[in-house]
Amino acid sequence: MVTSLLVVVVALALIFDYTNGFHDAANSIATIVSTKVLTPFQAVLWAATFNFIAYFVVKDHKVANYVAKIVVEHYVTMHVILAGLIAAITWNLTTWWFGIPSSSSHTLIGGFAGAGMTNAMYMGAGALHAVNMHYILPILLYIVLAPFIGLFVGYLITIIILHICKNSRPAAAERWFKALQLISSGLLSFAHGTNDAQKVMGILYLALISSNIIGTGAAMPEWIPLACYSAIALGTMSGGWKIVKTMGTKITKITPLEGVSAETAAAITLGFTEHFGIPVSTTHTITGSIIGVGLTKRVSAVRWGVTINLVWAWIITIPISALIAGLVFVLLRALGY
């Protein structure tokens, strides 16, 4: 039976997906805006289109299945899901307000895990009994690996392109790379939609199981991916201009050639992790790719002070989201919900 709690959870999940879209819009459009290939409005429309195209292409939902297994099913309740979503939305809006490109993926995972751990303690078990370490450990590993993979691939692609185009006329090359950046930005937006929309799909799938709407192992209803891809695309169209400034200009100065390299590197990295169903951060990946591109000029071309601040934001996202979710879960229990 559809309950009011389920309706609230579905609404909040789609609101989170929307905030994910405008929070992470900078990942897809920062370089294409900073190089003036597209205007901000054109860029968000372009990115949102490719976010949604992913709905028609990707049907295996490996990342969604992965996220659904982070918390042991015995400790998953509607209140756990509700508390996790509230925490994730709170952190997303806070970091967006201050222009910090933190990970929407990790705040959702941290919030969900934190609420599950709190519920486990209420049930008399240890907090760690609630989380499936087989699934949590790769996520923690890729917090470190994803930006470094993006960095390496971005550096390598830039070196290859520079070698191929070393005899090209600068004006002609720039025209070509401005055109190519439309393709690379589209690929990154497609990868972003594929990776990030699926995380909320996994949460909604669990909500239906917890509400006894469907059974464990049942096929995912088709409305879930349609709603999630639509919400993230609409969020992307709303933009995230404070974060665009950080990603597009503050880490390193980006040219069209470098924009192509960074976006292609991030898209390749996200495609690799999505193939294996590992939910990684789009934000971490594109940031690493931009740094890798900057390093091809010189180490000092990267503004390391800004980068270190971003790393701190990445480190604290999961624990703070988990803490907020735990407090929300306690509050819900105290209020009798």
Side-chain angles (χ1 to χ4, degrees):
M1 184 176 66
V2 177
T3 63
S4 57
L5 180 57
L6 177 60
V7 172
V8 169
V9 165
V10 170
L12 284 177
L14 295 179
I15 288 171
F16 171 79
D17 229 357
Y18 178 83
T19 66
N20 188 343
F22 75 71
H23 190 281
D24 288 6
N27 299 337
S28 303
I29 71 170
T31 57
I32 207 168
V33 170
S34 64
T35 56
K36 296 181 172 57
V37 172
L38 293 177
T39 66
F41 176 75
Q42 291 170 334
V44 293
L45 189 60
W46 183 258
T49 299
F50 281 90
N51 278 170
F52 189 69
I53 286 174
Y55 164 72
F56 299 100
V57 178
V58 180
K59 297 297 180 183
D60 55 12
H61 309 321
K62 290 180 182 178
V63 174
N65 293 331
Y66 195 106
V67 170
K69 295 172 182 174
I70 288 171
V71 176
V72 177
E73 189 175 334
H74 178 66
Y75 300 105
V76 176
T77 66
M78 290 297 288
H79 293 90
V80 166
I81 297 171
L82 178 62
L85 287 170
I86 292 172
I89 292 170
T90 300
W91 186 245
N92 249 8
L93 292 177
T94 301
T95 52
W96 164 77
W97 180 259
F98 290 103
I100 302 169
S102 67
S103 169
S104 296
S105 304
H106 290 157
T107 190
L108 181 64
I109 291 166
F112 184 36
M117 292 165 71
T118 307
N119 188 36
M121 289 188 286
Y122 268 102
M123 295 173 68
L128 291 180
H129 283 83
V131 293
N132 192 332
M133 298 306 293
H134 177 72
Y135 291 92
I136 286 289
L137 289 177
I139 292 173
L140 297 178
L141 178 63
Y142 272 86
I143 289 176
V144 178
L145 285 183
F148 277 102
I149 294 173
L151 185 155
F152 174 76
V153 177
Y155 183 91
L156 186 63
I157 289 175
T158 307
I159 294 297
I160 291 172
I161 290 175
L162 288 172
H163 179 72
I164 293 172
C165 301
K166 61 185 177 182
N167 296 321
S168 301
R169 290 187 297 111
E174 183 164 355
R175 285 196 302 272
W176 271 103
F177 284 112
K178 282 189 173 183
L180 288 172
Q181 208 176 351
L182 290 172
I183 299 173
S184 62
S185 177
L187 289 173
L188 178 56
S189 298
F190 176 87
H192 172 230
T194 298
N195 200 278
D196 284 32
Q198 285 198 51
K199 291 151 192 170
V200 176
M201 287 161 53
I203 297 295
L204 284 177
Y205 180 70
L206 279 178
L208 295 186
I209 293 174
S210 298
S211 300
N212 297 315
I213 303 294
I214 60 174
T216 302
M220 182 181 294
E222 189 59 31
W223 67 265
I224 291 181
L226 178 60
C228 289
Y229 281 113
S230 299
I232 201 167
L234 288 171
T236 297
M237 287 183 66
S238 302
W241 309 119
K242 293 180 180 180
I243 299 175
V244 168
K245 185 177 180 181
T246 300
M247 298 292 285
T249 62
K250 289 188 177 179
I251 296 174
T252 190
K253 183 177 170 66
I254 293 289
T255 65
L257 181 156
E258 293 159 350
V260 169
S261 299
E263 290 160 352
T264 303
I268 290 172
T269 305
L270 290 170
F272 169 79
T273 55
E274 195 277 331
H275 175 74
F276 291 101
I278 302 169
V280 302
S281 168
T282 309
T283 306
H284 293 195
T285 305
I286 186 61
T287 302
S289 300
I290 292 172
I291 292 171
V293 166
L295 288 175
T296 61
K297 293 176 282 191
R298 59 188 182 281
V299 173
S300 61
V302 178
R303 296 183 177 92
W304 295 106
V306 174
T307 304
I308 290 169
N309 290 337
L310 298 182
V311 170
W312 276 113
W314 299 350
I315 291 171
I316 65 175
T317 290
I318 288 181
I320 285 187
S321 301
L323 177 61
I324 295 171
L327 293 174
V328 171
F329 185 84
V330 170
L331 181 62
L332 291 172
R333 288 286 299 250
L335 294 174
Y337 289 106

